[in-house]
Amino acid sequence: MNAGTHASPPVPRPALRIDDGADVSASPFQVEAAAVAAEAAGYDGFSASETKHDVFASLMLAARATERITLRTAIAVAFARNPMTVATLANDLQLVSGGRFELGLGSQVQAHIERRFAMPWSRPAARMEEFLRAVRAIWAAWAGEDRLFFKGEFYQHTLMTEFFAPGANPHGTPPILLAAVGERMTQVAGRVADGLLCHAFTTPAYLRERTLPALLDARGGSLDGFSVLLPAMAVLGADAGERAAAEQAVRGQIAFYASTPAYRPVLDLHGWGELGERLHLLSRRGAWAEMAAEIPDDVLDAFAVAGTPAEVASALTARFGDAVTSVSLYTPYEVDRALTLAVARELRGQE
């Protein structure tokens, strides 16, 4: 497969930060160890996700065990909680980490919010915008900037007594990063967040033709001070056999995401809507093993880069170097740590 490039985005971006992350199923102790290793290897940032364990608990361990690296939830499920609980957790992680925390939030999908978390779901973009505004109102009240009186359509926070207020955080409030794919949620990120967490199911064309224009529209034409973080799919392997296995895993991951209706706009941009419909039908039948074979080479090339560490680093820079502020590798398969570190070194050498 080959790495493709697209026209430059409408605004220049600074040099890339290089981030690392824990495995999605890592235990809190494994997250802690991975963060320590990432800091020792020289990564700028470290992300942990929320699947089998609480992401805030995991990063609390990482905060105590590290000194320099930025720590990020990517993501914590906002709608599984309320603004007060999220404001409290984020404030505490900012305190324990010494100001190294970034609050990455996402909506999840309706089925999980209603059936796994037993929480309400409606108008996710509008709800998320209000959620983030409520979190900021709570932080402002703790800092003594204003009395807490937030009354919205979805959330109301009108009581905060001194006994329960932790006071102003000596390290300030953490940046809020919002995960988004669709243009509506992306615009929410532009209006009320400090950065955007792109989905791994993102192509250079979608980033430049949909994501960045939506952000610029929401922010009045400037992305100054705004972060754009991207986990990029990559095919890596020490030999032909490992690379073939990695490529098969990446095809399977692309097929999984492509079967999800919420991510259909990415396929539609490329004229691949029929592929999404076909994969969705296969997923409803539980035909997961068949789905990877449905991903043709041109679709694979659009979503992933491949090759030696030097080739992967070069392709990432060509695709995203002027469009995002941070990049990390998304490898949905077992990969030799030496290879991912080699990619990071190559990216550093290109700065």
Side-chain angles (χ1 to χ4, degrees), residues 285-299:
R285 292 188 356 229
W288 304 107
E290 302 173 27
M291 290 168 59
E294 296 290 327
I295 302 300
D297 288 347
D298 60 332
V299 176

Side-chain angles (χ1 to χ4, degrees), residues 16-18 42-44 343-351:
L16 281 174
R17 292 192 311 172
I18 299 121
Y43 284 98
D44 298 303
V343 174
R345 285 194 298 270
E346 291 285 346
L347 285 167
R348 282 272 182 242
Q350 295 174 22
E351 292 182 356

Side-chain angles (χ1 to χ4, degrees), residues 275-286:
L275 172 64
E277 293 290 343
R278 191 163 69 250
L279 289 167
H280 182 61
L281 291 174
L282 287 170
S283 71
R284 289 175 65 91
R285 292 188 356 229

Side-chain angles (χ1 to χ4, degrees), residues 16 25 27 78 85 94 162 167-168 205 219 226 233 238 255 279 283:
L16 281 174
S25 61
S27 72
T85 57
Q94 179 77 336
E162 184 177 351
R219 293 182 57 80
F226 190 84
M233 293 194 201
L279 289 167
S283 71

Side-chain angles (χ1 to χ4, degrees), residues 103 132 136 175-179 185-196 219 225-227:
L103 175 61
L132 269 57
R136 294 195 189 279
I176 299 177
L177 311 177
L178 180 61
M185 191 68 81
T186 299
Q187 289 185 324
V188 171
R191 283 194 295 269
V192 296
D194 302 296
L196 175 75
R219 293 182 57 80
F226 190 84
S227 300

Side-chain angles (χ1 to χ4, degrees), residues 50 53-61 73 76-77 81 85-86 89-90 93 101 103-105:
E50 185 165 66
H53 301 278
D54 184 273
V55 68
F56 292 100
S58 297
L59 286 183
M60 196 67 76
L61 291 177
T73 53
V77 180
R81 302 174 171 90
T85 57
V86 168
L89 289 163
L93 251 171
F101 178 60
L103 175 61
L105 295 173

Side-chain angles (χ1 to χ4, degrees), residues 172-259:
T173 58
I176 299 177
L177 311 177
L178 180 61
V181 176
E183 292 178 62
R184 191 172 297 175
M185 191 68 81
T186 299
Q187 289 185 324
V188 171
R191 283 194 295 269
V192 296
D194 302 296
L196 175 75
L197 295 173
C198 297
H199 199 283
F201 194 68
T202 295
T203 66
Y206 191 81
L207 179 69
R208 297 172 192 280
E209 297 176 29
R210 294 290 186 272
T211 301
L212 291 178
L215 286 175
L216 286 165
D217 180 64
R219 293 182 57 80
S222 173
L223 294 184
D224 289 346
F226 190 84
S227 300
V228 180
L229 289 73
L230 176 78
M233 293 194 201
V235 175
L236 285 165
D239 53 38
E242 286 188 5
R243 286 191 293 273
E247 181 177 305
Q248 183 68 10
V250 170
R251 288 183 193 270
Q253 194 66 40
I254 292 170
F256 170 73
Y257 287 140
S259 71

Side-chain angles (χ1 to χ4, degrees), residues 78-79 106-110 113 120-132 154-155 178-179 184-185 188 191 262:
F79 298 158
S107 64
Q108 246 296 348
V109 296
Q110 183 174 3
I113 296 304
W121 173 277
S122 64
R123 299 170 55 211
R127 180 181 289 271
M128 184 65 77
E129 182 160 355
E130 188 175 296
F131 192 108
L132 269 57
F154 308 101
Y155 303 102
L178 180 61
R184 191 172 297 175
M185 191 68 81
V188 171
R191 283 194 295 269

